[in-house]
Amino acid sequence: MILSDTRVPPPKTLQVALRKITDTLAHALENPTLPRPDWSDFEWVVAQAVAAMHGVSPLLSRSLLWNAPPGWTKFLENQRMHTARRYVRINAMLQHINSRSAEAGIAALALKGAALHAMGLYVGGERPMADVDLLVRPQDAQMMARVLESLGFRQSAATWKERIFTPLADHFPEDLGEHSDNDLKIELHDRICERLPWRLTEITADIFPIRPHAGLNDYSSKSSLMLHLLLHAAGSMPVKTLRLIQLHDIALLSTRMTQADWDLLLAYHSTAGRLWWAFPPLKLTSRYYPEKIPTYALTALADECPRLLRKVALSTSLSDVSYSYLWVDAFPGVAWSQSIPEVIDYAINRLRPSAQHLAAREEIARSESWARQDEWCRLSQARRIVRWISSRPTRPVTMSVVSAALGKAQ
């Protein structure tokens, strides 16, 4: 597929295309018999960017029945090939981590994608894994860091939720989708928590096995894995970084859960209160996978959700809370605040980020190719505020992926 004009269109035009394409692909992933969309050549190229951003290119390559343009089909098949090759590398690394951590007497939990693969919900090549996520007890974190160093990794960054380990000889990744040669990254956690929108909500005690063994462990139950998937999705929604693959994970796992599993999930109490945050991601999943989510679970979680957030969740689409949303908003997660003091705290922290937050921002500007290409990522906080007031800036990560897709269509 070759475009005569590969310039990025005006932001408003691009946002319309992103929204339409995202919604179409989300519905088509659940129902691949839907008719092929009547898209322009430009929209088919943007669809590559959307599929890459949402981590669903490999799944679409085998599920869709569309007689699509060759460029689209080739892109999806290429993504599946790279995802499969990358999974082989990740699986080998998990085996090394398992043996080394067992030797060191460290109990660890392989999180999210690794657990879903281990359950057989995916086979190699279906689900991209950008990194390996591990959870250890706080007292074992430093020892696990040494294990990772012995495997050729170094700590390259740390945030409020994880320590990030990258290969000693790291290099910059591809701009569009998966590539088998991209570096393997390991994120080491000693707690599982998210900011909603600024207050920490933690579920570590609910998902770490009660009697773990040295080496890699499984989640204590399907319910604990679902709890983690929902919190991770909830944490992505206020900052508009949710991906379709996260909703697909939730829908797939739901098909394996019995009523007893759901009852166990509904009985969980996080350390920050009940599951007030779980309704929005589950409701959004049910929007695209209506037959996969039990109605009684939605009803029970809706009762725990604050009124404003519940109202917002009822009308939220994937495009509203994902990388398909094109704009940089000043206060994107304000609806997740549960009181006026929380709103004020959230606003203050958005306007005056902590030193740790600024350091993490600098690390992203250094290590992520999309961030190095955009002036926004290098602006001071004061200049960002001016831009928020005087214009409507576009998101660097989204613009980078769209530009990469258009560039490859030349």
Side-chain angles (χ1 to χ4, degrees):
M1 186 184 309
I2 299 177
L3 293 182
S4 58
D5 186 356
T6 58
R7 292 174 298 178
V8 177
K12 289 184 178 180
T13 302
L14 178 57
Q15 179 64 92
V16 171
L18 288 170
R19 180 175 291 276
K20 177 174 71 172
I21 293 165
T22 300
D23 216 53
T24 299
L25 293 182
H27 285 294
L29 190 58
E30 168 64 358
N31 186 2
T33 61
L34 289 175
R36 166 188 155 163
D38 184 22
W39 289 340
S40 66
D41 287 347
F42 165 75
E43 288 170 327
W44 279 107
V45 173
V46 174
Q48 296 180 24
V50 171
M53 285 190 295
H54 285 276
V56 293
S57 303
L59 288 169
L60 292 171
S61 72
R62 295 296 173 88
S63 65
L64 291 182
L65 304 178
W66 299 340
N67 181 22
W72 165 256
T73 303
K74 181 179 179 181
F75 170 75
L76 296 186
E77 288 294 334
N78 184 63
Q79 286 292 283
R80 187 179 182 92
M81 176 193 69
H82 280 292
T83 301
R85 291 177 179 175
R86 185 170 174 82
Y87 175 73
V88 171
R89 294 177 59 204
I90 289 175
N91 198 43
M93 178 56 64
L94 285 169
Q95 293 179 29
H96 288 310
I97 293 172
N98 181 44
S99 59
R100 292 287 183 90
S101 58
E103 291 170 3
I106 304 170
L109 182 60
L111 302 171
K112 294 181 303 189
L116 294 167
H117 276 91
M119 289 179 61
L121 289 174
Y122 294 104
V123 298
E126 287 186 332
R127 185 190 188 279
M129 290 175 62
D131 46 52
V132 173
D133 285 272
L134 302 172
L135 173 65
V136 297
R137 290 171 293 201
Q139 62 267 31
D140 293 330
Q142 196 55 41
M143 191 180 301
M144 179 57 88
R146 289 195 290 269
V147 167
L148 298 180
E149 289 167 358
S150 74
L151 292 171
F153 291 82
R154 63 178 177 84
Q155 182 174 323
S156 58
T159 71
W160 54 271
K161 64 187 295 188
E162 66 212 356
R163 296 163 67 179
I164 301 169
F165 290 78
T166 51
L168 292 173
D170 57 351
H171 68 281
F172 297 120
E174 290 288 311
D175 291 334
L176 183 63
E178 294 295 303
H179 195 285
S180 55
D181 293 334
N182 284 350
D183 287 334
L184 299 184
K185 184 172 64 173
I186 299 174
E187 296 184 352
L188 180 61
H189 305 255
D190 60 22
R191 61 178 180 173
I192 299 300
C193 56
E194 296 289 346
R195 290 197 185 279
L196 299 172
W198 196 253
R199 181 177 62 171
L200 281 179
T201 297
E202 183 175 350
I203 59 169
T204 311
D206 296 320
I207 69 169
F208 201 81
I210 297 174
R211 297 179 182 84
H213 58 78
L216 293 182
N217 290 255
D218 298 324
Y219 283 81
S220 58
S221 65
K222 297 185 187 73
S223 302
S224 64
L225 174 54
M226 178 62 81
L227 188 72
H228 188 193
L229 295 181
L230 288 173
L231 180 63
H232 183 59
S236 301
M237 293 175 75
V239 290
K240 303 184 186 298
T241 59
L242 189 68
R243 306 171 79 203
L244 176 55
I245 190 63
Q246 292 175 259
L247 302 185
H248 195 74
D249 290 345
I250 293 168
L252 272 185
L253 180 58
S254 180
T255 64
R256 294 281 189 92
M257 292 176 63
T258 64
Q259 181 167 346
D261 293 322
W262 281 105
D263 288 343
L264 179 58
L265 183 141
L266 295 173
Y268 277 122
H269 291 257
S270 71
T271 55
R274 291 186 61 82
L275 306 182
W276 62 270
W277 43 266
F279 177 70
L282 198 64
K283 178 61 180 177
L284 187 57
T285 303
S286 73
R287 180 185 182 114
Y288 300 101
Y289 301 86
E291 305 300 321
K292 299 289 197 303
I293 308 301
T295 301
Y296 70 89
L298 279 169
T299 301
L301 291 173
D303 289 341
E304 295 192 21
C305 188
R307 181 179 301 178
L308 174 60
L309 183 58
R310 182 170 66 245
K311 182 179 179 180
V312 170
L314 291 173
S315 60
T316 295
S317 71
L318 179 58
S319 298
D320 296 325
V321 290
S322 72
Y323 286 111
S324 295
Y325 185 80
L326 191 57
W327 315 109
V328 177
D329 288 341
F331 308 106
V334 68
W336 290 76
S337 302
Q338 297 189 69
S339 65
I340 296 301
E342 277 197 28
V343 171
I344 295 172
D345 187 49
Y346 172 63
I348 290 173
N349 281 282
R350 286 286 293 174
L351 294 171
R352 298 180 58 186
S354 66
Q356 186 181 40
H357 183 89
L358 292 174
R361 185 187 291 175
E362 290 177 3
E363 173 60 23
I364 290 173
R366 183 201 70 80
S367 61
E368 300 291 346
S369 58
W370 58 265
R372 297 195 308 276
Q373 298 169 12
D374 195 278
E375 178 194 19
W376 174 264
C377 298
R378 298 186 297 274
L379 291 179
S380 67
Q381 184 64 17
R383 293 180 65 189
R384 288 187 180 211
I385 293 173
V386 171
R387 288 278 295 274
W388 279 336
I389 295 172
S390 62
S391 65
R392 200 177 188 191
T394 54
R395 301 175 74 183
V397 62
T398 304
M399 294 299 293
S400 174
V401 178
V402 170
S403 297
L406 290 171
K408 292 181 183 295
Q410 291 181 358

